[in-house]
Amino acid sequence: MSPAPSIAATLIVRNEARCIARCLESVVPWVDRMVVLDTGSTDDTVAIAKAAGAEVHHLPWPDSFSIARNHVLDLADSDWSLMLDADEWLIAGGETLRDWCSGSALLGRLCIHNQHDDGATATRSWITRLIPRGTRYEGRVHEQVASPLPRVALPVHVAHDGYMTAQIAPKRDRNHALLLRDLAEQPDDPYLHYQIARDARMRGDLTAACTHFAQALALTPAEANWRHELVVTAITVLTKARRLDEALALADGEMPHWPESPDFFFVLGDLLLDRAMADPAHAIAHWLPLAEGAWQRCLAIGERPELEGSVSGRGSHLAQHNLDVLRSQLAMLAA
């Protein structure tokens, strides 16, 4: 019999004393080794990682996440590597890893549940995180697995709190600079424009966000796994920037592609509500019924967690809440 394949959890970290124990403790039952690459921590990250049973190595920050990822893969030297960030933790599906890694060499996509400040919503992203020996990364920031192997969604779920305001603020300027360096070298890369647009939105620069979302939309192929989130987020940002006509044009053009996306119809309802506020003369007769119909469509579709960037509740309670509020306001106006 062939020996069971080895699995290593691999992390690159810096000043993650807040959360690294949570991450390591969540994964330790399901892997053979935990390999941590520290890039210059000045807090207790290293001591906490060692106490949790991890091997800790050191590398001066190379100004590139892919260089660091590839270095920790070399250090792990395992048949399979489960790539995690310190601000993530395994919440379900760990027991499936061993059997899956005994099969063919494929790329495993995990469901990452990104928590937000309101504590009530989580954005779901399907990201390649379980990779076989020999796989490499590319890109300075928001690094991607560079491999022709098929990517398969696994029933493995990971929570992530790194996008919450308190956690993202210290990393904001670093990521922005790295993205701009990558874009200077690859000016027509759609994924880079998408990530720069998201970064600009996070920094409150809606003008830059709209510009890069437009470029990402023009360059991104229809089959790209991130296009669903790209479209939904672009509509949201255009709406927030009060570029309502542009948002409506984008929604109209994209609607045939997302007939089963509650996220698309949810942000469309938000857009139509804003359009009603901007055009009160036609609000009750036109815009508000359209918004109501969009949120009703969300409920008819239901939850679609497999869609990249889907938000929990948009196919259920969040849409129902918006409908309840809208209908109560319409009833008051009619009274």
Side-chain angles (χ1 to χ4, degrees), residues 13 22 74 113 140-141 162-163 171 189 206 229 283 306 328:
V13 303
R22 177 184 64 188
D74 291 338
H113 299 252
R140 286 189 177 89
V141 64
Y163 286 158
K171 306 173 184 178
D189 187 305
L206 295 182
E229 185 174 17
E306 73 278 12
S328 68

Side-chain angles (χ1 to χ4, degrees), residues 114-123 164 311-314 316-318:
N114 301 298
Q115 298 181 351
H116 299 283
D117 287 331
D118 62 10
T121 59
T123 304
M164 299 179 75
V311 173
S312 176
R314 281 180 172 170
S316 55
H317 66 275
L318 295 178

Side-chain angles (χ1 to χ4, degrees), residues 167-210:
Q167 316 311 331
I168 198 65
K171 306 173 184 178
R172 185 174 295 150
D173 292 339
R174 177 203 63 191
N175 289 356
H176 180 63
L178 293 176
L179 283 167
L180 292 180
R181 287 176 59 186
D182 271 349
L183 187 65
E185 297 171 4
Q186 304 170 73
D188 294 323
D189 187 305
Y191 188 72
L192 281 174
H193 281 290
Y194 168 52
Q195 292 297 343
I196 290 172
R198 292 180 59 186
D199 176 75
R201 178 196 185 191
M202 180 183 63
R203 293 183 292 105
D205 188 347
L206 295 182
T207 299
C210 291

Side-chain angles (χ1 to χ4, degrees), residues 54-324:
E55 306 168 26
V56 179
H57 302 265
H58 299 272
L59 177 74
W61 173 238
D63 229 18
S64 167
F65 281 93
S66 62
I67 290 175
R69 292 278 192 203
N70 292 334
H71 187 64
V72 77
L73 286 171
D74 291 338
L75 292 169
D77 191 28
S78 294
D79 296 321
W80 291 85
S81 291
L82 176 62
M83 311 298 288
L84 294 172
D85 293 333
D87 53 12
E88 298 173 339
W89 65 104
L90 195 64
I91 56 175
E95 70 281 0
T96 69
L97 293 174
R98 186 70 60 183
D99 285 344
W100 197 83
C101 291
S102 298
S104 303
L106 300 170
L107 303 176
R109 298 172 68 216
L110 279 54
C111 186
I112 312 297
H113 299 252
N114 301 298
Q115 298 181 351
H116 299 283
D117 287 331
D118 62 10
T121 59
T123 304
R124 294 169 291 214
S125 300
W126 290 88
I127 302 178
T128 301
R129 291 296 190 83
L130 187 60
I131 60 177
R133 185 190 297 276
T135 307
R136 310 300 282 179
Y137 279 84
E138 60 183 20
R140 286 189 177 89
V141 64
H142 296 294
E143 64 283 5
Q144 295 290 294
V145 173
S147 172
L149 291 172
R151 300 170 193 245
V152 179
L154 305 183
V156 179
H157 295 259
V158 173
H160 171 234
D161 65 5
Y163 286 158
M164 299 179 75
T165 301
Q167 316 311 331
I168 198 65
K171 306 173 184 178
R172 185 174 295 150
D173 292 339
R174 177 203 63 191
N175 289 356
H176 180 63
L178 293 176
L179 283 167
L180 292 180
R181 287 176 59 186
D182 271 349
L183 187 65
E185 297 171 4
Q186 304 170 73
D188 294 323
D189 187 305
Y191 188 72
L192 281 174
H193 281 290
Y194 168 52
Q195 292 297 343
I196 290 172
R198 292 180 59 186
D199 176 75
R201 178 196 185 191
M202 180 183 63
R203 293 183 292 105
D205 188 347
L206 295 182
T207 299
C210 291
T211 297
H212 286 285
F213 273 126
Q215 291 173 291
L217 287 163
L219 293 167
T220 299
E223 67 275 11
N225 73 302
W226 68 84
R227 188 168 179 95
H228 175 261
E229 185 174 17
L230 166 62
V231 169
V232 169
T233 310
I235 292 171
T236 300
V237 170
L238 285 168
T239 302
K240 188 173 182 180
R242 311 306 300 165
R243 294 162 67 161
L244 302 183
D245 289 341
E246 292 176 59
L248 283 167
L250 174 58
D252 185 60
E254 289 289 337
M255 188 178 296
H257 303 296
W258 309 110
E260 297 299 323
S261 167
D263 299 271
F264 177 85
F265 285 98
F266 187 90
V267 300
L268 175 60
D270 288 347
L271 166 59
L272 293 165
L273 180 62
D274 274 31
R275 195 67 184 84
M277 295 172 65
D279 183 18
H282 301 95
I284 294 177
H286 184 65
W287 299 114
L288 293 180
L290 289 176
E292 182 179 25
W295 291 322
Q296 286 175 326
R297 179 63 185 154
C298 295
L299 296 177
I301 296 169
E303 293 291 308
R304 290 291 304 276
E306 73 278 12
L307 291 173
E308 180 69 21
S310 66
V311 173
S312 176
R314 281 180 172 170
S316 55
H317 66 275
L318 295 178
Q320 187 63 60
H321 170 77
N322 285 4
L323 282 170
D324 291 344

